[in-house]
Amino acid sequence: MNQPNELRQLPWPVATMDLNPSARLRHLVTGALRTGRPLAVWREPGTTHPRLVVARTLEAAYTGLPPALDATAPAGFAFFPFRDSDHNPALFLPADVLFDTAQPNTVAVAPAARSLVPALTAWLAITPVEPLVWPYSTQPVPHAATKAEYSALVRAGVAAIEAKILGKVVSSRAARWPLPSGFDPLVAFADLCEKYPQAFVSLVSVPGVGTWLGATPEVLAEVTADGTFRTMALAGTQPLVHGQAPNTAIWRQKEIEEQALVARYIVSCFKQLRLREYDETGPRTVAAGELLHLRTDFEVNLRQVPFPNLGTDMLRLLHPTSAVGGMPKQAALDFLHRHEGYDRAYYSGFLGPVNLPVAGVSRLYVNLRCLQLRPTEAILYAGTGLTVDSDPDREWQETELKLTTAGAVLYPMVSSNV
């Protein structure tokens, strides 16, 4: 594995050589939690080997996104909120310690973190007998909207669209579910990996910020090793019927219009940068867990256009995307601030690896289908895109369906389709 930023490979101590990759991952997570260090565990779509990043200090994570998503950027893991604030800071966890379960015999350590080597060895000697204590946010627990409250939010959104104040708005809500006895976030992470092989599965834990777990289907921005930039418009939702091929799904005008608005917004971002050289494919129907969505893919060959910072420039224009906020962007965000009734925190923000596992490769995902851990409960999140044809009962039911993606690891019987 080509390690950016001169990560040095350290062999595992002989005493731990009989541990399997999952046990080694748990040892490193244990050490990070017990020494108060930020961490992120993730598994890319279509792969089977999770990776772990540990930042040497909390302060090192408050660095923001690199100026460019290219091979010159530091290696690390981005974790950004829906809206940046003192309560929900934008985080970039440097890859001070990197463990890839596909290469389980070594741990990579950055030069700035070499003083952690003795502590790293100590971590590996710990047998995690006691349950791990995961950090949680010290902010108030988000308000969980009732069906009546959410219906009122939907009606307010439709009214704003009818009044031409908005073209589209994405309403959302939080739900509070009690944690089952003995809930283990690492086990839940592994369960999500198994249930949703084509999702980006993540477990992020930062002191003072909290612990978040999720499985998202949506790419926000990707830069590949061959110099290609990709993004997608993902919108419209309906249940996946077992035995039904996704390409036979029939979509209502409401979902078609919703998805088209998101695709047009991405095109408008390209136009703001005066970029015309892009490929557009779709829309097509794709499966994400037990749900179907409409998706349009966009691709730019960075080697053929004079936009070296296209990745970060597009991130600044896209986030929050119209798929999680609405259009016009600022008017939709103002509406949500006034009417939604809770702080989304990192839900519908973005997250993912930068320059990992190799230099020049970055993949950032919208943080959907996620939950936030609290001491005795999980806060789950779900949203729906509203148009002039939105019906409150249908929108409530759509959020119920979306809650089952992450909720399935709390109560496996919550969805018969998992």
Side-chain angles (χ1 to χ4, degrees):
M1 180 170 60
N2 176 21
Q3 298 293 350
N5 295 351
E6 300 179 2
L7 292 176
R8 185 178 68 177
Q9 297 285 355
L10 302 178
W12 282 77
V14 174
T16 64
M17 291 304 289
D18 59 337
L19 297 178
N20 61 40
S22 295
R24 294 181 182 183
L25 176 65
R26 181 172 286 273
H27 271 283
L28 286 173
V29 169
T30 298
L33 291 175
R34 288 180 172 172
T35 56
R37 291 185 167 88
L39 68 92
V41 186
W42 74 95
R43 191 227 53 196
E44 296 275 1
T47 66
T48 57
H49 295 98
R51 295 185 175 96
L52 164 73
V53 154
V54 179
R56 64 188 184 277
T57 64
L58 180 59
E59 291 72 23
Y62 291 121
T63 55
L65 201 65
L69 296 181
D70 59 20
T72 66
F77 190 93
F79 190 57
F80 275 51
F82 177 63
R83 282 185 166 184
D84 192 1
S85 69
D86 291 341
H87 300 315
N88 306 301
L91 299 172
F92 184 80
L93 280 60
D96 293 321
V97 176
L98 173 65
F99 177 60
D100 187 343
T101 58
Q103 298 186 357
N105 293 327
T106 58
V107 179
V109 178
R114 285 176 183 171
S115 61
L116 292 182
V117 173
L120 181 63
T121 305
W123 297 354
L124 307 184
I126 295 173
T127 301
V129 177
E130 299 178 359
L132 298 179
V133 178
W134 296 79
Y136 60 88
S137 172
T138 57
Q139 298 304 309
V141 174
H143 172 68
T146 64
K147 184 176 181 180
E149 290 171 330
Y150 193 69
S151 296
L153 172 60
V154 171
R155 287 192 293 270
V158 171
I161 295 169
E162 290 175 334
K164 309 298 183 183
I165 298 171
L166 301 173
K168 170 192 172 181
V169 67
V170 181
S171 58
S172 74
R173 67 183 179 95
R176 297 170 64 178
W177 291 18
L179 289 177
S181 177
F183 179 77
D184 185 325
L186 272 176
V187 172
F189 170 85
D191 288 345
L192 283 176
C193 289
E194 182 177 354
K195 292 177 188 298
Y196 307 114
Q198 297 306 315
F200 178 79
V201 181
S202 61
L203 173 60
V204 180
S205 188
V206 179
V209 171
T211 299
W212 290 72
L213 178 69
T216 179
E218 184 171 352
V219 173
L220 176 62
E222 176 183 12
V223 177
T224 66
D226 64 358
T228 300
F229 170 84
R230 295 192 182 106
T231 187
M232 69 170 63
L234 188 76
T237 302
Q238 64 174 278
L240 171 65
V241 178
H242 280 297
Q244 175 191 25
N247 61 5
T248 64
I250 298 174
W251 292 93
R252 297 181 302 150
Q253 184 61 32
K254 184 261 182 187
E255 284 86 13
I256 294 172
E257 179 183 345
E258 179 189 347
Q259 200 276 338
L261 285 169
V262 178
R264 287 201 294 269
Y265 179 73
I266 292 175
V267 171
S268 75
C269 291
F270 286 142
K271 288 181 177 178
Q272 287 185 59
L273 297 175
R274 299 183 179 179
L275 173 66
R276 298 179 178 86
E277 300 84 359
Y278 62 87
D279 294 323
E280 179 178 349
T281 306
R284 60 191 176 93
T285 302
V286 295
E290 62 269 25
L291 303 176
L292 296 176
H293 303 289
L294 283 168
R295 172 175 150 183
T296 300
D297 295 293
F298 296 87
E299 187 171 295
V300 179
N301 186 334
L302 296 176
R303 296 175 180 175
Q304 296 179 358
V305 298
F307 295 95
N309 297 332
L310 181 66
T312 47
D313 289 343
M314 281 297 291
L315 273 177
R316 292 186 183 98
L317 292 174
L318 287 172
H319 178 68
T321 72
S322 59
V324 299
M327 298 174 61
K329 184 175 182 177
Q330 193 56 52
L333 294 178
D334 291 343
F335 173 88
L336 295 173
H337 181 69
R338 292 194 305 270
H339 295 279
E340 203 163 45
Y342 83 103
D343 183 356
R344 290 190 185 186
Y346 293 88
Y347 163 65
S348 66
F350 65 87
L351 75 172
V354 173
N355 274 344
L356 292 172
V358 296
V361 175
S362 298
R363 295 186 179 94
L364 300 171
Y365 298 79
V366 184
N367 194 19
L368 305 175
R369 317 295 189 267
C370 61
L371 61 83
Q372 176 194 168
L373 290 180
R374 294 292 180 125
T376 61
E377 63 184 352
I379 314 299
L380 287 80
Y381 303 83
T384 55
L386 306 183
T387 69
V388 71
D389 298 318
S390 290
D391 172 73
D393 286 339
R394 281 182 174 269
E395 303 304 332
W396 173 266
Q397 186 56 39
E398 183 175 323
T399 62
E400 289 285 282
L401 284 170
K402 289 177 176 176
L403 290 173
T404 65
T405 300
V409 299
L410 299 175
Y411 301 97
M413 298 305 293
V414 75
S415 171
S416 60
N417 293 324
V418 175

